[in-house]
Every structure is written in structure tokens, then in C-alpha cells.
Amino acid sequence: CAEANNFAFNLKNTALAHEEKLTFIDAGFGFNFPFPPLMRRNISVYIVCDATEDSESVLGNDMHLVEKYAGKHNIKLPRIDYKVLTNNPISIWADSNPQTPIIIFIRNMHEFSSFKFNYSSTEFDLLFKGMEQTVIAHATAIKDALQKAIIKL
């Protein structure tokens, strides 16, 4: 959490005019992915680049929390196949309902904790280039998913 002076404090005709301070929080605070604020909008495609791989976290736990949150708030999601999630560098979940978004989930295939704040050049390259290579290797599947989303519109 962080707090800052409100730049719009006392400005007429602004929604935040009466708030002297603004509080900021990481959108992934409740669980590792920032789905809750995005779910308030009509999103067609979520692209999740999961940069974490913490030893105390089981892959898929955070997506279970996303599903639970969505269910609690009556938000449609495609069925998440956790077997695909744990066995593949990329997972794409879609559904025939035009109201249901598509989720493209790109996994971090390297085991670096997200609690580590200093990376060597080699470690950074492994993380960045690994994700980049995954996207390039699966570009056709990603493009197909995006095309399906466009058709749904």
C-alpha cells in the first residue's frame, strides 16, 4: 500500500475532489494476478505472463483464487484446465459463449522467486528471453486465440 496527496483535491467537478489523500495498492494484492480491477470492465482477452515461480506456491493456486473470485462476483470465465497449466509453457482457455473472455496464460519456466529484487544479467535474460521465446514459439496459437476474440465481438 502507498498513500499520496490527491492531485484533484478541491478541484470542482472531479470524482476525487473530496479526498485529500489517495491510497494505492498493487492490483495483484489479494492473489498474484490483477484480475479483480480488470474484471470490472468488459475484457475480451486476458494475457497473463506469470513471472513468479516461488517454491512455496503451487502452480495454479492463484488461478484457483481467480476462479473463486469470479464465481463469487458472477463473472464468467472459461473452464481452466489445470493439467494443461502445469504441463505446458502456455495455456489458452476459451469457451463458445461470447460473454466469456479468453485467457492466455504464459508460464515462467525458470525458478526465480518474485521476492528476489536483484537479478544478475544472466538471470534477467533467462526470465525475459524465456518468456519472449515462449511467446514466439506459440505465436500461431496466440494469434488464433486473438482472432477468436475478434470474431466474438
Side-chain angles (χ1 to χ4, degrees), residues 30-82:
F31 39 90
N32 195 35
F33 306 126
F35 275 85
L38 296 173
M39 287 177 160
R40 294 184 203 140
R41 295 165 169 76
N42 188 18
I43 303 288
S44 299
V45 179
Y46 293 95
I47 300 174
V48 180
C49 294
D50 184 8
T52 62
E53 188 71 348
D54 298 326
S55 59
E56 65 273 0
S57 174
V58 175
L59 187 60
N61 280 356
D62 290 314
M63 284 308 297
H64 280 290
L65 294 172
V66 170
E67 280 187 306
K68 188 175 181 180
Y69 179 90
K72 182 178 177 183
H73 294 88
N74 294 323
I75 298 167
K76 293 180 182 184
L77 287 180
R79 189 181 70 76
I80 307 298
D81 184 341
Y82 290 93

Side-chain angles (χ1 to χ4, degrees), residues 4-128:
N5 292 327
N6 178 8
F7 60 90
F9 183 60
N10 284 333
L11 287 179
K12 293 180 182 177
N13 301 321
T14 62
L16 299 173
H18 302 291
E19 303 293 331
E20 188 174 345
K21 300 280 185 182
L22 297 176
T23 301
F24 297 91
I25 190 165
D26 182 340
F29 180 75
F31 39 90
N32 195 35
F33 306 126
F35 275 85
L38 296 173
M39 287 177 160
R40 294 184 203 140
R41 295 165 169 76
N42 188 18
I43 303 288
S44 299
V45 179
Y46 293 95
I47 300 174
V48 180
C49 294
D50 184 8
T52 62
E53 188 71 348
D54 298 326
S55 59
E56 65 273 0
S57 174
V58 175
L59 187 60
N61 280 356
D62 290 314
M63 284 308 297
H64 280 290
L65 294 172
V66 170
E67 280 187 306
K68 188 175 181 180
Y69 179 90
K72 182 178 177 183
H73 294 88
N74 294 323
I75 298 167
K76 293 180 182 184
L77 287 180
R79 189 181 70 76
I80 307 298
D81 184 341
Y82 290 93
K83 187 176 257 185
V84 171
L85 173 66
T86 58
N87 292 321
N88 297 314
I90 187 168
S91 301
I92 299 175
W93 302 298
D95 155 323
S96 60
N97 182 337
Q99 303 300 311
T100 303
I102 294 171
I103 300 174
I104 301 170
F105 188 95
I106 305 164
R107 251 181 79 193
N108 170 23
M109 300 302 287
H110 302 283
E111 298 205 15
F112 293 113
S113 171
S114 61
F115 294 107
K116 180 177 180 175
F117 297 108
N118 293 309
Y119 293 91
S120 70
S121 295
T122 303
E123 290 170 328
F124 177 82
D125 286 344
L126 279 172
L127 285 171
F128 177 77

